[in-house]
Amino acid sequence: MVNGEQSCHWHAIRDLNYMMWLAKADKGERRATQHHLRHIIGIDMPQEDIQHVSKKEKVELSKQIADAEEEIQRLAHSLYGRGYEQVATYVRRIKKTLFTYLKFWILSGLISPRASSMIERMMREIGRRLKRMAFGWSEKGAAKMACIIKRFTTVDQWGAYWKQKLRINDNVILTLRAIKYA
């Protein structure tokens, strides 16, 4: 069974910098370690929300996950050897939940976000689009996105959204993170 918690990749990399700063690592070493972690966790996923995973893809993804987790363990061991014991502990701890989204995809065929929550992912996208000229939205477009956030935060609307998205017609029980929705 896959642990329901997903560590946000962006926060993992950013917090690694902070942990190393607390340990008095110089800026160059912090940046190099962040770059190394970014490289390790950079496993690509499809763009669709739902995609079947073939047996060959499952084997390949499982190997990529195992290799990445092994590389993270080596990074933690290296950090420990350089005297960054708390940073090494942090890296070992986040390793457990960095690939939950991939493990969930392998088991279910459903794509899930790398961010720790849908709201966080949506807020990032809204901020990106509102700040950049090329992605600029009108006030009407931004208001529509705010309505989507409202849907995320309203349990009934969220359930209705997924019922429609997954074409559930009340003859299936969908269980997500220990919440049963019939």
Side-chain angles (χ1 to χ4, degrees):
M1 183 65 186
V2 176
N3 179 358
E5 183 181 338
Q6 167 64 44
S7 292
C8 175
H9 287 191
W10 184 85
H11 281 109
I13 293 165
R14 189 193 107 225
D15 293 347
L16 176 65
N17 179 54
Y18 178 70
M19 293 294 294
M20 291 188 75
W21 177 79
L22 287 176
K24 309 262 190 276
D26 66 62
K27 189 173 184 176
E29 188 175 15
R30 293 191 325 252
R31 294 295 181 251
T33 307
Q34 280 182 294
H35 179 73
H36 186 63
L37 181 60
R38 187 179 293 113
H39 175 73
I40 293 169
I41 63 178
I43 299 173
D44 292 330
M45 289 206 32
Q47 296 297 317
E48 297 82 20
D49 288 338
I50 301 172
Q51 181 172 323
H52 176 71
V53 187
S54 70
K55 288 183 180 184
K56 182 182 175 188
E57 288 174 317
K58 285 182 182 183
V59 170
E60 288 174 9
L61 276 173
S62 296
K63 184 178 179 340
Q64 285 181 322
I65 292 168
D67 291 347
E69 287 178 336
E70 196 174 297
E71 185 65 27
I72 290 171
Q73 188 64 33
R74 281 196 292 271
L75 174 63
H77 185 71
S78 168
L79 289 165
Y80 188 82
R82 290 184 286 174
Y84 303 121
E85 295 166 10
Q86 288 183 323
V87 180
T89 301
Y90 168 75
V91 170
R92 282 191 191 104
R93 195 177 71 242
I94 64 168
K95 178 186 80 159
K96 296 175 187 173
T97 57
L98 277 175
F99 302 107
T100 303
Y101 71 104
L102 285 171
K103 292 173 184 173
F104 182 72
W105 182 45
I106 290 170
L107 288 176
S108 68
L110 297 174
I111 307 302
S112 61
R114 290 183 186 206
S116 55
S117 75
M118 290 294 280
I119 294 172
E120 182 176 310
R121 184 176 181 202
M122 183 58 68
M123 292 303 294
R124 179 184 165 273
E125 182 64 16
I126 289 173
R128 181 180 75 86
R129 289 182 180 238
L130 289 174
K131 289 176 186 175
R132 297 186 186 232
M133 296 272 291
F135 298 105
W137 281 340
S138 64
E139 287 184 28
K140 185 177 178 182
K144 283 183 181 179
M145 290 307 292
C147 289
I148 291 172
I149 291 174
K150 182 179 178 232
R151 184 186 306 154
F152 287 142
T153 58
T154 306
V155 176
D156 295 335
Q157 288 181 359
W158 183 239
Y161 169 78
W162 279 107
K163 270 186 164 183
Q164 185 249 340
K165 180 98 171 155
L166 298 175
R167 297 183 201 113
I168 296 174
N169 53 9
D170 291 335
N171 60 1
V172 174
I173 295 177
L174 180 63
T175 304
L176 298 171
R177 293 189 189 172
I179 298 172
K180 291 185 180 181
Y181 194 87

